[in-house]
Structures are given as C-alpha cells and as structure tokens.
Amino acid sequence: MKTALTIAGSDSGGGAGIQADIKAMSALGVFGMSVITAVTAQNTREIRSVQNIDLAIIQDQIEAVFDDIQVGAVKIGMLANAETVNVVAESLQKYKPKHVVVDPVMISKGGHYLLQESAVNALVNKLFPLATLITPNIPETEALVGRSVQTQDEMYKACIELKEMGTEAVLIKGGHLTGDSNDLYYDGEDFHWLKSKRIKTKNTHGTGCTLSSAIAANLAKGATLFEAVTLAKKYITTAITHSLELGSGHGPTNHFYDLYEKANWEKTR
C-alpha cells in the first residue's frame, strides 16, 4: 500500500482541507495520513472561526507519522502563520520526504484570509526550496509575484519568477480566469498547458486541495511529476463535472465519482 501525508487545516463541512485531501488520496488508491494545523468551523457558505493547533502538537503529529510509517509523498495546505510554516519546514528538513507538493493556501472562496501576511515570506523562504511542486491559483500567484496575472503571457512570466523562488516545478491554476480552465506547468525547462473546458457549476469547494492531494497521491504511486500532474488534472476535472449539490453555497467536488459509478453498475448487473 502506497502512502501520502497531508499537512493542512480541517474543514468541518468536509469539502476542502484535510477531509478533501484524504478523500482524494483514498479515491486514487493511496493510504492517506494527516497532520492537522488548524481547525476551521465552516460550511459551503462561510468560515465562521479558526483555531490554530499548538505548535508542539503539530510537530508531534509529523514525528509520530514519520517515525513509524513510510511516507511516499507529502501535500501541504493551510499553515496559517509563520510559526507553523517554520515547524513544518524544520520537520521536512529532518525527514527529507522524496516528494513535497505545496498548495500555498492564502484566501478562501469567501474571502477569509487563511495565511497571515507575515507568513508569506516564511512560506517562500522556508518551504518553497523544499517543494517538488507548488500549485498556486491566480490570486495566490498575484500575491506571490506582487502584480496582476491575467493573461497567458503574464502566466509564463509568473511561472519563471515562482520557479526562481526555489521550487522544482510550478503549476499555476487558471480557474479564476475567464474562458477555459487551463493550468500552466513549468519545470525550469519546458512549459506545458493542461487544458480543460470550463464546467458551469458553483460547486467547486476544495478543488485546489483535491488537485494537490491527487498529485501527491500519484507521485506516491511512482508517477513522474508531469504524469502526476496530468493524471490529477483529469481526476479533478471529473470530480468537478460531477460535483455535489450539497448545502446552499459552494458545494464540494465528487471525489469518489468513478467508484460510485462502478458500485452502482455492479448493483444493477
């Protein structure tokens, strides 16, 4: 059994964060483990409150997993503050996992800040150099490079700048732009567009968490980085296409669509 570890915040509504990560890893046949960095009280409409986890508990969670279980890949999501970033970075330097996918979670769909501004420098300086891949969306990319990124040419330039921050590769997600939902991958040598038609749905809660976790799961199973990204893009597109109408806000993606379809087909045989 291949394994992957997610280091992120908990979403009580189940659509994003640790819950989405574990679902994506499980759907792709990987045993998911977790380190919870924060507990959020949220649903499909809003984040009501956030409780950051004590730093010693975060460190203990990481050490408990790595000291006992082989970790095939790590996905990093919500870290909240610079102190948490530092603890996670120090632990990764100690255990040196082969693959680290960093989703630089900064702002929720509802506009709630999930990463303190003071923590951005720590994220860039401490975690990006340890990352196999970073997966910012457009608003996160703009925050990281300090300017607007709204065209393909601006995405190319942003990829280069983000790569120079120390990560092995970059995937800028284009879901916030108009037109098709095309993502741009850059590994320092080649650019690749991962294209998909825009799906007309409001139920996209947790898409970034799910995509980055799917990439980590694919890496844990032995895929090359570009293969892992390509397969994850196909997976998240299916999950969004068949997203779930739960709640009255932004509903979740359908992490287990293929498994549900198979189960229902077997029932009717």
Side-chain angles (χ1 to χ4, degrees), residues 168-216:
E168 291 182 29
V170 178
L171 179 70
I172 296 180
K173 299 171 292 190
H176 285 79
L177 300 178
T178 58
D180 292 340
S181 183
N182 299 329
D183 307 334
L184 182 59
Y185 172 87
Y186 177 60
D187 61 7
E189 295 183 3
D190 299 312
F191 290 95
H192 297 278
W193 284 100
L194 290 89
K195 298 182 177 181
S196 64
K197 295 293 184 183
R198 183 168 297 278
I199 300 159
K200 294 183 179 180
T201 178
K202 65 179 176 62
N203 300 320
T204 56
H205 185 50
T207 52
C209 305
T210 300
L211 176 65
S212 54
S213 296
I215 294 170

Side-chain angles (χ1 to χ4, degrees), residues 6 27 36 60 65 70 87 131 144 175 180 192-193 205 208-209 257 260:
T6 168
I36 299 176
D60 280 351
V65 173
Q70 182 69 31
V87 166
L144 289 166
D180 292 340
H192 297 278
W193 284 100
H205 185 50
C209 305
Y257 173 75
Y260 292 156

Side-chain angles (χ1 to χ4, degrees), residues 6 8 11 14-28 75-77 101 103 105 109 135 171 173 203-218 228-229 231-240 251-256:
T6 168
D11 172 6
I18 288 284
Q19 287 79 359
D21 298 340
I22 295 292
K23 289 172 186 175
M25 293 170 181
S26 300
L28 295 175
K75 171 264 167 82
I76 298 174
V101 179
D103 184 18
V105 177
K109 275 187 173 59
T135 63
L171 179 70
K173 299 171 292 190
N203 300 320
T204 56
H205 185 50
T207 52
C209 305
T210 300
L211 176 65
S212 54
S213 296
I215 294 170
N218 290 327
V229 171
L231 290 169
K233 175 69 171 179
K234 180 179 179 181
Y235 169 74
I236 190 59
T237 301
T238 298
I240 296 172
T253 63
N254 192 340
H255 296 89
F256 297 107

Side-chain angles (χ1 to χ4, degrees), residues 4-8 21 25 72-79 88 92 97-104 127-128 130-136 167 169 171 173 208-220 225 228-229 232:
L5 172 66
T6 168
I7 303 176
D21 298 340
M25 293 170 181
V74 175
K75 171 264 167 82
I76 298 174
M78 177 185 174
L79 297 181
V88 171
L92 294 182
K98 184 177 181 180
H99 305 293
V100 178
V101 179
V102 177
D103 184 18
L127 273 183
F128 282 13
L130 303 176
T132 307
L133 177 74
I134 62 173
T135 63
T167 179
L171 179 70
K173 299 171 292 190
C209 305
T210 300
L211 176 65
S212 54
S213 296
I215 294 170
N218 290 327
L219 289 171
L225 181 54
V229 171

Side-chain angles (χ1 to χ4, degrees), residues 115-130:
L115 181 70
Q116 296 175 1
E117 288 188 30
S118 60
V120 175
N121 285 338
L123 187 73
V124 172
N125 295 327
K126 299 292 184 66
L127 273 183
F128 282 13
L130 303 176

Side-chain angles (χ1 to χ4, degrees), residues 18-69:
I18 288 284
Q19 287 79 359
D21 298 340
I22 295 292
K23 289 172 186 175
M25 293 170 181
S26 300
L28 295 175
V30 171
F31 184 79
M33 303 169 291
S34 66
V35 170
I36 299 176
T37 60
V39 174
T40 70
Q42 66 174 295
N43 51 35
T44 63
R45 298 193 309 267
E46 61 182 342
I47 295 179
R48 296 187 177 182
S49 59
V50 177
Q51 174 66 63
N52 294 329
I53 301 299
D54 184 84
L55 298 177
I57 298 298
I58 294 174
Q59 183 172 347
D60 280 351
Q61 289 179 85
I62 296 173
E63 293 179 352
V65 173
F66 275 99
D67 286 346
D68 183 50
I69 304 171

